Amino acid sequence: MTTIDVSQVGSLPRFGTAWVTWRQHRLALFGVVALLAALAALLLIGGLDARSTYDQLGLDQCTFTPGTHCDQLATQFINQYRTMRLLLVFLLLLPGAFGAFVGGPLVARELESGTYRFAWTQGAGRTRWILTKLLLIAAGLVVASAAFSPVYSWWNAPFQRVQPTGFNDYLGFEFNGIVFPVQTLLAFAAGVLAGLVFRRSVVAVGSVFLSAFALLMATTFLLRKHYMTPLTTSGKLDPHDWALGNSYQDPAGHLLSHVQEHTLYQQFQVATSQQPSATFRAWLEAQHYTLLTNYHPASRFWSFQLIETGWMSLLTLLLAATTVWLIRRRT
């Protein structure tokens, strides 16, 4: 019978866990990179075509004033690529998809197959094992997602010149800043924790994908506009400002309630029944009412980016720390 002298066995190589992590999860990372590369190629092809059309229409020589020939050309340009722009809304699914499909099976697959008994009893220890996985895969996701953002910004540049939008432009906010990688990391951390809790890869992937998408939609449409107190103006907004809504102020300086606005609108209809071209806004201004617009100025774009990055990063760290703590305690 052969015996092994434990004292002669070398310790686990310093980068042994990193090598194992790469071998186990390289296909998932390759899948993320391949999908982003395919999307980037489509955007590059579409961007070249859009720039060619932009030059052919002479939009590079235009100043876009409502009612002018240039404005008509701009409308033609936007309508020509409307379908593609609408289809790209599905890019909002990417953070949840990447996080769920890469993070969900990370621990759940080990628990399903029983290989965690081997992985957690090696020289590296379970803490080093999970930290290596989290850090290396998170780094790969950050690099891949960050590299995609400039491609989208390049593709979107002609449309922004023709029809500027505020930073409430959903895809513009995601991909012109730094929140796309952070959203992906948050979904990834949630996927790993869900896999540890549910112990089933399919359940973890499905639950995290739906949860991440719901959180992103709630952030985009409900939470984001409350990051800072909006400003109010009676003047014209810059095209890149984020307009939130309008309100009216009476001659005495008091804001009108919805009931008062409805009453005034009924009065407007009666007073202008013989004037089909009259507008409610012009009629109110003639009565010395003031239209106010609540908005976030374009200068707040990076403040909003940092706010969203901050709370999502903290939540990501909390989920990752919970995962490490649960693995350390698991028997």
Side-chain angles (χ1 to χ4, degrees), residues 19-296:
W19 181 84
V20 171
T21 298
W22 165 249
R23 295 284 296 180
Q24 284 185 317
H25 304 287
R26 57 184 175 176
L27 290 180
L29 291 175
F30 283 155
V32 170
V33 172
L35 178 57
L36 287 177
L39 292 172
L42 291 176
L43 289 179
L44 288 173
I45 295 172
L48 291 173
D49 182 67
R51 278 167 165 74
S52 175
T53 304
Y54 184 91
D55 294 337
Q56 290 173 7
L57 293 175
L59 291 172
D60 54 332
Q61 306 297 325
C62 277
T63 55
F64 303 104
T65 304
T68 63
H69 179 62
C70 281
D71 185 55
Q72 296 174 358
L73 292 177
T75 302
Q76 177 184 340
F77 177 73
I78 292 295
N79 289 337
Q80 182 172 340
Y81 295 95
R82 185 179 301 277
T83 301
M84 182 177 183
R85 297 180 75 196
L86 290 175
L87 289 176
L88 287 179
V89 173
F90 89 94
L91 293 177
L92 293 173
L93 298 173
L94 291 182
F98 291 159
F101 285 97
V102 176
L106 191 77
V107 177
R109 187 165 49 194
E110 302 278 0
L111 297 174
E112 284 178 315
S113 62
T115 53
Y116 73 94
R117 297 183 180 91
F118 174 79
W120 293 0
T121 56
Q122 301 309 297
R126 63 179 70 182
T127 301
R128 179 179 165 188
W129 174 82
I130 187 60
L131 286 176
T132 301
K133 284 179 175 288
L134 291 176
L135 293 175
L136 288 182
I137 297 176
L141 290 175
V142 167
V143 171
S145 55
F148 178 77
S149 294
V151 179
Y152 176 85
S153 299
W154 176 85
W155 173 85
N156 194 46
F159 302 101
Q160 280 294 310
R161 288 196 294 267
V162 169
Q163 192 180 67
T165 57
F167 63 91
N168 62 314
D169 174 39
Y170 309 123
L171 291 177
F173 189 86
E174 312 303 322
F175 296 108
N176 288 332
I178 56 177
V179 298
F180 177 45
V182 179
Q183 291 170 353
T184 304
L185 284 185
L186 176 57
F188 169 67
V192 177
L193 180 58
L196 178 59
V197 172
F198 295 124
R199 303 186 62 171
R200 293 292 183 272
S201 297
V202 174
V203 176
V205 169
S207 62
V208 170
F209 177 73
L210 294 176
S211 300
F213 180 69
L215 176 61
L216 179 58
M217 292 299 98
T219 299
T220 301
F221 295 106
L222 299 176
L223 178 61
R224 186 176 293 159
K225 60 185 176 183
H226 298 294
Y227 286 164
M228 300 177 72
T229 303
L231 303 181
T232 303
T233 182
S234 59
K236 187 177 181 180
L237 297 182
D238 183 276
H240 297 94
D241 292 336
W242 180 0
L244 299 177
N246 297 323
S247 59
Y248 291 96
Q249 192 177 64
D250 66 17
H254 303 113
L255 290 177
L256 302 182
S257 65
H258 292 299
V259 175
Q260 290 173 317
E261 288 183 15
H262 181 68
T263 302
L264 282 172
Y265 186 72
Q266 291 178 326
Q267 295 175 7
F268 157 75
Q269 290 179 313
V270 173
T272 60
S273 58
Q274 305 300 322
Q275 306 174 32
S277 61
T279 64
F280 184 47
R281 176 176 180 176
W283 182 82
L284 281 176
E285 290 177 348
Q287 308 300 315
H288 305 292
Y289 286 86
T290 303
L291 174 66
L292 300 176
T293 303
N294 299 320
Y295 74 105
H296 291 298

